[in-house]
Amino acid sequence: MSLPLQEQREHDVAALSDVSHRRQLAHEQVRLLYERLWQPVLASTLAACLLVGAMWSVIPPSYLVGWLTALIVVSGGRLWLAWHYQRQPAKRRLRRRWLYRFAWGAGIAGVLWGMAGASMFTMEHHGQLAALAIVLTGIAAGGVTTLSSVAWMAPLFVLPTMLPLLGQLLLQGTSLSLLLAAMVMLFLGLVLTINRRLHRTISDNISLRLIVSSRERQLRVSEARYRAIFRHTPLGVLHFDREGQVVDCNEMCLDILGTSRQRLLGMNLLTQLNDERVTGAIRDALESGTGYFEGTYRTVVSGKQTPLRAFYSALRNEAGEVVGGVAILEDFTERKLAEETIHRQAYFDPLTELPNRRLLIETLASTIRDRRDDGRVGLVMFLDLDRFKIINDTLGHAVGDELLRQVSKRLLLSLDKEAMAARLSGDEFVVLMPALSADREAELRRAEHRAERLLSTLRRAYDLGGQHISVTPSIGYTLFPLGDEDVGDVLRHADTAMYQAKMKGRAQICGYEPSMQTQMSWRLEMEQALRLALVEEQLSIAFQPQLDESERVIGGEALMRWHHPRHGWISPEVFIAIAEESDLIVELETWMLDRCCELLSRLPVDVLPRLSVNISVRHFTQPGFVEGLTWVTGTHGIDPARLVVELTESIMIDGVADAVERMRALKRLGVHLALDDFGTGFSSLAYLKSLPLDELKIDRSFVSNLDADGSDAAIVETILSMAQHLGIDVVAEGVENRAQRDFLLMRGCRLFQGFFFHRPMPLEDFERLLAERVGSDAV
């Protein structure tokens, strides 16, 4: 902080402190007005009674009684006000409000006394005049003594009390009255002067008391802070006097030395310690101001050996003379444990206790340098668990964490001592084998075998709290160094290989090849081209009819197609995957929903009863998906029941409860819901009954092998039987021959889709087919 800024801050703090002090002073001045108000009020009432008695023979009694009654009422009001003030909490005593209330009471009382000076004045009765003057001056003098805490409060009371009497005396014009008037004026001047001095004295006393109270409070806080720091500091603190005798110590000091307070207090450090290194450091502190010791120290009183570091400093009085010293002790044991903890937190993953990204990068960087020097190669394998997020979100994060821990243990058991297994993030792991041979070709073949063994080890079922879960990794690997790569390049190569492995399917292995970088560039190019395709209307929709058991077309499934101006038709498996990775899928599916709803609005329900549209999990989980679907169906004015939204089991990726809530919102809208590719996902049968579905779509992989694989036939029969019990329609996809169709029909399947009936077709052909169906139905 610069000096001007520091001075400005100190000035601001002083100003705030001054404002607070003035506020407290003002509150104390008001408090003094109300404190013991009953005493002057009582004296004033008694004086009024005496005055009435003295005037009884010369002033009409009715007037005297009225005046006395008024004074008593005002006095009672002032006492009630004081009582009410005392009952208020200090924080609620607004100074100005209560000051003005008091001022009104004092002023009214002064006016009443002034009325007595004006109405009871008599020059004919000297005794009564003397009584009047004595009472009024006494009341005025008493007001000064009780009202001077606020400078203007006494004049507010005294002047209305005395001025009417002064005026009466001046009006008489006699020598005696003028003499008395002069005496009254002299009295007023004296009273007001005393009021000013008394006010200053009271204010000074209050200020002094506030300052003393503030200093005492600060002193107590400072002392408490010192004691708290002294006792609770994480370092040992030892206080000794000029002769080296221990005066005080904190608990940490006792813990470090392994002794009790009774044995340590009073010990002479200069004569009773047998370690010259320590006593020398203490003498240095007492003589020159500082001393230092570091090493293993054996405590005299307990025999405990502790690695210590001690700083000794002299304590001086105001004259600069050394009066003692203080020692700060640090236990190296605790510091080493702390350093180890910090190192573990910085370099190891807390969940799996494997090295983290930071340690991996540092180790890999040094390994790359070593391999360039000795000509050997190293190996990096990048692992990513397939479908881990579904397991984590469906079964819970506790199960997911336990799965990661067990995967980590298997990794450690499967590697030799030189290898390192690290967790990068989430379900991503890296295995580093730092030093292999110099034969790159041989090591490349061995890398494939190592990855296969690792895959075999990790794919075995895991016991997770009684649940047996199988999970497989996708593994990408690369040898290094290939050239001038740095750490980022090596990890990126392994990651690219792993990504290619995932593209092949689950539980795959892939080694890095330079051409993969070209493929990644191609994917980026395709992503940009796909964005352009959406703008330039390069996308189209093909429709595959759906038929009932009588082979009548009852609807269709909308399938997106892309004709690239240079590469021709792009497979949906390629561009849909690219769109899902880049979040472009939301825009694509929004576009297709709009086109499908437009088609449904053009064709009546007897021509096209229903149309199915696939929705990705990324689009389905968007916060505004239901609202967007409501808008598009309303814009085109179609019955939402004609729209079938096809979802896959991956909608469970964000949890069953969230998926069910969104699906129920779609059901309330009227949209029909279908579960696509049923039977290929995770734990399908477990959550099927909780989903508000209208139909299931049996995956084509089961239908295509009905006549060759008994297991697939059994799965299809189970699905059909289960759907019948749940009251859910079933659509069989991929029906390619009559035998498959007959098998499904005999077991209760009533809706079909596949090449045996129709291939996906352009919109014009689909509309022609629908027109032919309507014509044949009419005939």
Side-chain angles (χ1 to χ4, degrees):
M1 182 182 297
S2 64
L3 185 58
L5 288 177
Q6 184 174 358
E7 292 178 349
Q8 180 64 38
R9 177 163 297 181
E10 292 175 353
H11 178 270
D12 293 343
V13 171
L16 289 174
S17 177
D18 187 53
V19 170
S20 176
H21 177 78
R22 290 200 301 270
R23 186 182 297 114
Q24 292 179 8
L25 175 62
H27 278 285
E28 282 296 304
Q29 290 171 337
V30 174
R31 187 185 64 80
L32 287 177
L33 291 176
Y34 282 100
E35 188 179 45
R36 299 181 181 179
L37 180 64
W38 64 272
Q39 294 175 346
V41 168
L42 179 60
S44 174
T45 304
L46 292 176
C49 292
L50 294 174
L51 180 61
V52 168
M55 295 294 178
W56 192 264
S57 60
V58 298
I59 303 297
S62 58
Y63 175 80
L64 293 175
V65 171
W67 176 82
L68 180 61
T69 302
L71 185 65
I72 292 173
V73 170
V74 171
S75 299
R78 295 180 70 194
L79 289 177
W80 177 86
L81 188 64
W83 176 83
H84 189 57
Y85 172 83
Q86 296 295 341
R87 291 178 60 86
Q88 290 290 317
K91 292 183 179 179
R92 296 182 60 184
R93 296 174 181 171
L94 299 178
R95 182 183 64 82
R96 290 184 179 275
R97 179 183 300 175
W98 287 101
L99 179 61
Y100 294 152
R101 288 173 179 176
F102 190 93
W104 274 104
I108 293 173
V111 169
L112 285 175
W113 281 108
M115 290 173 59
S119 60
M120 300 181 191
F121 180 84
T122 175
M123 289 297 292
E124 292 80 8
H125 303 86
H126 293 165
Q128 282 76 8
L129 179 60
L132 178 63
I134 291 171
V135 170
L136 290 180
T137 54
I139 290 297
V144 170
T145 61
T146 57
L147 302 177
S148 295
S149 62
V150 176
W152 53 269
M153 192 64 68
L156 180 67
F157 175 76
V158 170
L159 292 178
T161 300
M162 297 303 297
L163 288 180
L165 176 62
L166 177 62
Q168 288 284 24
L169 291 172
L170 292 174
L171 288 175
Q172 296 300 315
T174 65
S175 59
L176 178 60
S177 65
L178 292 176
L179 177 61
L180 291 175
M183 294 176 66
V184 170
M185 293 176 63
L186 181 61
F187 171 77
L188 280 177
L190 181 62
V191 164
L192 294 179
T193 300
I194 293 173
N195 171 70
R196 185 169 63 253
R197 292 183 177 180
L198 192 57
H199 168 71
R200 187 180 301 112
T201 301
I202 293 174
S203 298
D204 291 343
N205 287 336
I206 295 174
S207 296
L208 182 60
R209 180 160 50 85
L210 290 175
I211 292 172
V212 171
S213 177
S214 176
R215 296 285 173 83
E216 289 178 348
R217 184 168 56 254
Q218 293 174 3
L219 184 59
R220 288 194 298 271
V221 171
S222 177
E223 183 177 358
R225 185 184 302 116
Y226 160 74
R227 299 306 303 177
I229 294 173
F230 180 77
R231 292 182 178 179
H232 302 294
T233 181
L235 300 174
V237 181
L238 185 70
H239 179 201
F240 51 91
D241 61 18
R242 183 67 181 86
E243 306 302 323
Q245 187 169 326
V246 177
V247 177
D248 199 2
C249 64
N250 65 356
E251 293 299 323
M252 181 58 69
C253 177
L254 298 175
D255 291 341
I256 293 174
L257 299 178
T259 186
S260 64
R261 184 178 298 274
Q262 292 79 7
R263 299 182 66 183
L264 186 59
L265 295 184
M267 174 182 288
N268 193 299
L269 302 178
L270 295 176
T271 61
Q272 293 182 251
L273 298 185
N274 54 11
D275 194 324
E276 183 58 33
R277 299 172 300 168
V278 177
T279 57
I282 296 173
R283 290 193 185 93
D284 290 341
L286 294 174
E287 293 173 2
S288 62
T290 60
Y292 178 75
F293 163 78
E294 181 173 344
T296 301
Y297 171 69
R298 183 181 183 88
T299 307
V300 174
V301 291
S302 66
K304 178 183 178 183
Q305 288 189 346
T306 308
L308 283 181
R309 180 165 60 179
F311 298 90
Y312 299 92
S313 297
L315 296 178
R316 301 178 185 273
N317 59 17
E318 294 181 355
E321 300 171 345
V322 175
V323 295
V326 64
I328 305 297
L329 308 181
E330 180 184 3
D331 186 345
F332 276 3
T333 305
E334 296 295 331
R335 189 184 68 177
K336 288 180 180 179
L337 291 176
E339 289 175 351
E340 291 176 0
T341 301
I342 293 173
H343 180 270
R344 177 157 291 276
Q345 291 174 346
Y347 288 99
F348 288 84
D349 174 57
L351 176 64
T352 62
E353 298 185 355
L354 292 179
N356 60 13
R357 177 186 295 270
R358 181 177 179 180
L359 182 54
L360 172 68
I361 290 175
E362 292 182 6
T363 305
L364 182 56
S366 62
T367 302
I368 292 174
R369 291 192 296 269
D370 293 342
R371 297 296 77 80
R372 286 201 179 102
D373 293 338
D374 60 24
R376 294 187 293 173
V377 297
L379 172 66
V380 167
M381 290 187 283
F382 202 113
L383 291 77
D384 182 274
L385 301 183
D386 301 321
R387 302 178 67 82
F388 170 76
K389 185 168 180 55
I390 296 177
I391 297 174
N392 192 48
D393 293 338
T394 304
L395 300 182
H397 293 289
V399 174
D401 290 347
E402 178 59 24
L403 174 59
L404 293 175
R405 282 190 286 266
Q406 292 193 23
V407 168
S408 303
K409 290 179 181 178
R410 291 192 187 181
L411 280 174
L412 292 175
L413 292 174
S414 62
L415 300 177
D416 53 32
K417 293 182 179 180
E418 289 75 19
M420 170 190 286
R423 182 191 179 202
L424 289 193
S425 63
D427 60 332
E428 293 180 340
F429 298 86
V430 168
V431 172
L432 169 63
M433 295 185 176
L436 305 177
S437 69
D439 189 342
R440 184 177 297 273
E441 295 299 326
E443 293 301 341
L444 195 59
R445 292 189 298 270
R446 295 190 190 105
E448 183 76 19
H449 295 309
R450 289 188 176 100
E452 289 175 353
R453 289 199 303 271
L454 199 57
L455 174 61
S456 177
T457 299
L458 297 181
R459 73 185 307 168
R460 295 197 304 269
Y462 296 85
D463 184 0
L464 303 175
Q467 301 184 74
H468 292 277
I469 303 297
S470 294
V471 64
T472 57
S474 295
I475 303 178
Y477 63 88
T478 183
L479 295 179
F480 67 89
L482 299 177
D484 296 330
E485 319 100 307
D486 57 15
V487 173
D489 295 328
V490 173
L491 291 178
R492 187 162 48 251
H493 292 167
D495 186 25
T496 300
M498 184 277 296
Y499 185 83
Q500 293 297 322
K502 273 195 173 296
M503 294 296 294
K504 297 179 183 179
R506 296 192 295 272
Q508 297 296 318
I509 297 171
C510 186
Y512 174 75
E513 298 177 3
S515 60
M516 291 179 180
Q517 204 63 41
T518 304
Q519 294 178 15
M520 296 296 291
S521 300
W522 178 84
R523 291 183 65 84
L524 182 60
E525 178 188 345
M526 286 296 100
E527 177 185 335
Q528 301 303 321
L530 187 56
R531 294 183 185 277
L532 187 62
L534 185 62
V535 176
E536 296 184 351
E537 298 291 334
Q538 298 175 14
L539 299 174
S540 60
I541 303 177
F543 300 87
Q544 187 171 28
Q546 295 173 337
L547 300 91
D548 61 12
E549 68 270 25
S550 302
E551 299 190 6
R552 292 178 300 178
V553 177
I554 52 89
E557 179 180 0
L559 304 169
M560 194 178 302
R561 297 292 184 261
W562 178 24
H563 189 271
H564 192 279
R566 188 170 76 246
H567 300 293
W569 290 104
I570 307 297
S571 169
E573 294 182 356
V574 174
F575 75 81
I576 293 296
I578 295 175
E580 287 183 340
E581 291 174 6
S582 62
D583 282 341
L584 189 59
I585 191 67
V586 175
E587 297 181 45
L588 296 181
E589 291 178 350
T590 300
W591 170 83
M592 191 162 75
L593 277 171
D594 182 72
R595 294 301 176 89
C596 290
C597 289
E598 189 272 334
L599 176 62
L600 289 171
S601 68
R602 285 196 296 105
L603 301 179
V605 65
D606 57 341
V607 175
L608 181 58
R610 50 177 265 169
L611 191 60
S612 299
V613 180
N614 289 282
I615 298 297
S616 66
V617 62
R618 196 176 290 272
H619 191 186
F620 178 75
T621 55
Q622 290 288 313
F625 173 71
V626 176
E627 291 77 6
L629 195 59
T630 304
W631 181 85
V632 73
T633 55
T635 300
H636 292 286
I638 66 168
D639 181 4
R642 297 176 66 192
L643 188 65
V644 180
V645 172
E646 294 190 5
L647 305 168
T648 63
E649 292 177 78
S650 56
I651 60 171
M652 301 302 146
I653 198 167
D654 287 327
V656 177
D658 291 340
V660 170
E661 181 58 34
R662 289 191 184 94
M663 294 174 73
R664 285 176 178 166
L666 293 176
K667 292 291 292 181
R668 288 192 292 270
L669 178 62
V671 173
H672 281 214
L673 299 175
L675 193 61
D676 197 14
D677 300 335
F678 182 74
T680 62
F682 175 73
S683 187
S684 302
L685 302 181
Y687 60 69
L688 178 62
K689 62 182 180 181
S690 65
L691 302 181
L693 295 170
D694 296 292
E695 67 182 45
L696 301 177
K697 299 193 75 174
I698 302 177
D699 187 65
R700 65 181 68 250
S701 62
F702 298 121
V703 176
S704 61
N705 293 324
L706 280 177
D707 49 358
D709 192 329
S711 297
D712 286 349
I715 291 173
V716 170
E717 289 180 348
T718 301
I719 294 173
L720 290 170
S721 175
M722 178 183 59
Q724 290 171 6
H725 284 294
L726 295 176
I728 301 175
D729 293 333
V730 177
V731 178
E733 291 185 303
V735 180
E736 298 181 354
N737 55 56
R738 183 169 296 278
Q740 295 170 355
R741 183 258 190 191
D742 293 342
F743 178 91
L744 294 165
L745 188 61
M746 289 177 59
R747 285 157 180 80
C749 185
R750 295 294 178 264
L751 300 175
F752 307 92
Q753 178 179 337
F755 289 176
F756 176 68
F757 305 101
H758 298 283
R759 291 178 176 272
M761 58 188 68
L763 175 60
E764 297 79 8
D765 296 343
F766 185 55
E767 290 186 352
R768 190 180 306 112
L769 176 66
L770 294 174
E772 293 173 357
R773 181 188 72 82
V774 173
S776 62
D777 288 346
V779 174

